[in-house]
Amino acid sequence: MSIMPVAVSLMASFMSAITLLGVSAENYYYGMQFYVINIAYGIATPIASRLYLPVFFGLQKTSTYEYLELRFGPKLRMLASLTYTLQMVLYNGIVLYAPAIVLESVTGLDRLISILVVGLACTFYSTLGGMKAVLFTDLLQSLLMFGAVFSIVIFSSIQLGGFEMIFVKAKEGGRLNFANFSVDPTERHTWWSLIIGGLITYLSLYAVNHTQVQRLLTVSTLARSQMCLWWSWPVLSLLSTITCISGLGIYAVYKDCDPFISNKISAIDQLMPYYVVDAMRFVPGLAGLFVAGIFSASLSTISAACNALAAVTLTDYVGRWCKLSPSHVPWLTKLAACAYGLLFLALAFIAEHLGGVLQAALTIFGAVGGPLLGVFTLGMFTTYANERGVSIGLLSGMAMTLWMSFGTPRPPPVKLPLNVEGCLNNITIPVPPATDPTNYFYLYRISYMWTSPVGFLWVIIVGSAISLLWRQQHPWQRLGKDHPDPSLFTPPLARLLRAKNDTNKSSVQMDTACKY
C-alpha cells in the first residue's frame, strides 16, 4: 500500500463517532484544556516509530501477539490476545450503538435502521475487500468526517459574523483555559495528566495495538511505515483541532441559552447533532453531510476491528490447533471478519438493554491499553523479564486499572458556567448539590487520564520485580541458546546485544586459535 491511505487509516481507526461527538461536547462544557493532549501525540510519534515499530516490522508476523510467544512463551501470548479480543469486541459493539441512539434522539432516524445499515454495510465490504478495502474506504470516510466538522465551524462562523467571533465569545465564557499546570492527580485535566496520560494512551494505540500495527505492515519498507506514522499525526491533530473549534463554535451560538439545561437535549453528547438539526436544517445537504460524517466515523472504526480481529483469530487461536492450508486462509479470514461484524451487530442490540455498558466499554478500552503497553515494553526493552513475572504484572495491572475505572461512587465532573438568559422560556439553572471530594475514596477521585499511566507503571514494576525474584527459563534458553535473538528487542538494545554477541564470537575464535 502507499503511504497516505495507511496514514489516514491509522487516524480513522480510532476516531469513532463517539470521539467526534465527545470532543466537541468536552470543549463546550469543560473548555479547551483537553486540546493539550495533541502535544502528547507529537512526543509519542517518534517513540513509536523509532523504538517499537522496527521490532514488529522486522518480524513481519500476522498477529502482534506472536511476538509475545517468541519473547516470553505461548501462555502470555494467549492471555494478551484474549484481552485484546474482548476489549475490541465490546468497544466496537458500543461504537455501532452510540451514534444510533444520539441521532435517533435529535433527528428521528430510527436506531434499528442506523445499526443495521452501518453494521451490514461495514461487514459486507470488510469481508469481500479485506485490508485494501478497509484502507481505501477509511480514506473516503475521513474526508466525510472532516467535511462534517468543517461545515459546523463554517456555519457557526457565518452565524456569529466572523471566524474570530468564535474565540471572542469563547474567551468571554472562560472556555479558552489552557493554563492548568497543577500536579494534583485528582484534577480532571491538567498539562501533566494530558501529556503523560496522552503519551501512554497514544503509544498503547499506535505502538503496540494490533489494529494499528497490522496497517503499518502493509507498506513495503520500514522507512515508509515510519512515514505513515509521521503523517498520521498531523492528520489526527488537524481533525482534533477542527472538532475542538466546532465545540467552541456551538458554544458561541448557544452562549445565552444552553440546550442541555433548557432540556432540548438529554445528554451532552447530543450537542453536535442538535446544532445541525436546529441551525443547519435550512441549508440543503448540510444535515445529510453531517450524518454521513458521523456514520463514516463509526464505519472506519468497525471495519478496522473486523479485519484486525479476523487476523488475530486465525493466527492466535485457529492456527495453534489446526494446520491451515495457504489456499484456505483468505476465505477463512473473510468468514472470520463477517462473523465479527455480525457479533458487533448483536452486541449493539444487546447494549440497548444494558444501561451503563456505554461508559463501561469506553473505560475498558482505556484501562486495558496501559497494561498491554507495559507487557510489550518489558519484552522489548529488557532481557530479564520472563513469562511468569509479566503475566502476573498484566493480570494485577488490569485489576488495578479496572478498579480505578469502575470504583463507585465517584465525584461528578464540574462544568464551566452556563447561561439560559437568552431562552424564550423562563428557565432556572439547577444548582447541583454541594459535594465534598474528600468524602470519596482517593483512588476514585484520580483523573481518568492517569488510568493508563498507572497500569503501564504497575506492569513495569511488578513484572520486573517478580521476574528478578522468581527466575524462569527464557524461550531461547529452552532452545539451548545462551543469548537472546536481537531482533526481538528495541533497536538501541538490539545493537548492544549484537555487539556483545560479536565480542563473544571473537573471544571463542581466539580461544580456539590459541588451542591449535
Side-chain angles (χ1 to χ4, degrees):
M1 296 298 299
S2 54
I3 292 174
M4 192 50 65
V6 177
V8 175
S9 180
L10 288 172
M11 178 278 297
S13 297
F14 284 97
M15 285 293 283
S16 67
I18 295 173
T19 310
L20 293 184
L21 300 172
V23 170
S24 58
E26 167 69 32
N27 287 270
Y28 183 107
Y29 288 102
Y30 302 104
M32 282 286 284
Q33 184 74 46
F34 183 76
Y35 184 72
V36 175
I37 200 171
N38 287 282
I39 299 174
Y41 297 160
I43 298 172
T45 299
I47 298 175
S49 64
R50 297 292 180 184
L51 300 181
Y52 289 90
L53 179 59
V55 179
F56 292 118
F57 202 91
L59 294 174
Q60 286 291 313
K61 297 296 184 180
T62 304
S63 167
T64 307
Y65 304 101
E66 289 181 82
Y67 166 81
L68 296 178
E69 181 168 1
L70 295 173
R71 174 62 181 84
F72 295 112
K75 294 178 182 177
L76 183 60
R77 171 188 175 180
M78 186 60 64
L79 176 61
S81 181
L82 288 172
T83 301
Y84 165 81
T85 302
L86 178 64
Q87 172 197 37
M88 294 299 290
V89 166
L90 182 58
Y91 177 72
N92 281 275
I94 305 305
V95 165
L96 186 56
Y97 173 69
I101 58 173
V102 171
L103 289 169
E104 181 189 44
S105 63
V106 294
T107 65
L109 187 64
D110 187 82
R111 76 179 68 178
L112 173 66
I113 296 174
S114 299
I115 293 172
L116 285 176
V117 168
V118 175
L120 292 176
C122 188
T123 301
F124 178 74
Y125 74 73
S126 299
T127 300
L128 293 184
M131 178 60 77
K132 186 171 287 190
V134 171
L135 290 175
F136 279 112
T137 50
D138 278 355
L139 186 62
L140 174 61
Q141 288 154 5
S142 298
L143 294 176
L144 288 170
M145 290 160 62
F146 274 104
V149 290
F150 264 119
S151 67
I152 292 174
V153 173
I154 293 170
F155 202 82
S156 60
S157 299
I158 295 172
Q159 279 187 290
L160 297 167
F163 179 70
E164 70 283 356
M165 293 303 297
I166 292 178
F167 298 96
V168 171
K169 290 186 176 293
K171 186 176 181 181
E172 292 174 359
R175 263 59 186 175
L176 302 184
N177 50 344
F178 294 100
N180 189 352
F181 291 93
S182 172
V183 295
D184 184 358
T186 63
E187 292 199 28
R188 187 167 178 268
H189 288 155
T190 68
W191 275 73
W192 297 106
S193 68
L194 289 167
I195 290 181
I196 297 175
L199 175 71
I200 299 301
T201 301
Y202 184 95
L203 289 176
S204 70
L205 293 176
Y206 288 81
V208 301
N209 187 283
H210 172 73
T211 308
Q212 302 296 61
V213 173
Q214 187 186 37
R215 276 152 182 66
L216 291 167
L217 299 184
T218 61
V219 293
S220 55
T221 65
L222 174 60
R224 290 172 66 84
S225 186
Q226 291 170 327
M227 285 298 295
C228 292
L229 260 180
W230 276 105
W231 275 107
S232 71
W233 170 46
V235 175
L236 176 63
S237 295
L238 178 60
L239 183 58
S240 175
T241 301
I242 301 302
T243 308
C244 288
I245 295 174
S246 72
L248 295 183
I250 298 172
Y251 170 77
V253 172
Y254 294 129
K255 184 173 180 290
D256 297 322
C257 185
D258 177 66
F260 181 66
I261 294 179
S262 57
N263 295 321
K264 294 174 182 175
I265 57 176
S266 58
I268 62 174
D269 285 341
Q270 298 172 358
L271 180 69
M272 185 183 277
Y274 172 77
Y275 174 77
V276 172
V277 173
D278 179 54
M280 298 167 61
R281 67 180 183 273
F282 304 107
V283 181
L286 276 183
L289 174 63
F290 171 78
V291 172
I294 292 296
F295 280 147
S296 291
S298 291
L299 282 167
S300 59
T301 303
I302 295 165
S303 63
C306 283
N307 211 269
L309 286 169
V312 166
T313 299
L314 259 69
T315 306
D316 290 346
Y317 310 144
V318 179
R320 288 181 64 83
W321 293 285
C322 305
K323 186 172 178 60
L324 299 176
S325 168
S327 60
H328 294 156
V329 169
W331 290 103
L332 290 173
T333 304
K334 293 178 189 294
L335 287 174
C338 181
Y340 277 113
L342 296 177
L343 179 60
F344 295 159
L345 265 175
L347 190 60
F349 286 113
I350 294 173
E352 182 178 0
H353 306 287
L354 296 180
V357 169
L358 175 59
Q359 182 176 347
L362 295 177
T363 304
I364 287 175
F365 188 76
V368 171
L372 279 178
L373 176 64
V375 169
F376 282 98
T377 301
L378 277 175
M380 295 182 186
F381 290 77
T382 71
T383 56
Y384 61 78
N386 59 44
E387 185 177 31
R388 183 181 294 142
V390 177
S391 297
I392 294 173
L394 174 60
L395 290 173
S396 60
M398 285 182 55
M400 182 67 181
T401 54
L402 292 175
W403 180 29
M404 289 177 61
S405 302
F406 291 114
T408 54
R410 57 181 57 248
V414 180
K415 297 183 178 69
L416 292 175
L418 300 167
N419 197 351
V420 290
E421 292 178 358
C423 297
L424 295 178
N425 301 323
N426 292 327
I427 299 170
T428 303
I429 298 179
V431 179
T435 56
D436 183 3
T438 59
N439 292 334
Y440 295 88
F441 181 48
Y442 184 80
L443 192 66
Y444 301 157
R445 289 188 278 133
I446 294 176
S447 169
Y448 73 97
M449 289 301 303
W450 289 108
T451 304
S452 287
V454 167
F456 172 75
L457 288 175
W458 183 283
V459 172
I460 295 294
I461 295 171
V462 173
S464 296
I466 294 177
S467 296
L468 291 171
L469 294 173
W470 196 357
R471 296 288 184 174
Q472 182 185 26
Q473 273 196 327
H474 294 287
W476 61 83
Q477 293 172 329
R478 298 187 199 114
L479 297 174
K481 298 180 180 179
D482 58 356
H483 56 80
D485 182 358
S487 65
L488 299 177
F489 299 91
T490 188
L493 181 55
R495 286 192 290 269
L496 291 175
L497 291 173
R498 290 189 180 98
K500 183 179 179 180
N501 292 342
D502 291 342
T503 302
N504 291 338
K505 288 179 182 177
S506 299
S507 300
V508 170
Q509 290 171 354
M510 288 287 290
D511 291 342
T512 305
C514 288
K515 289 177 182 178
Y516 284 103

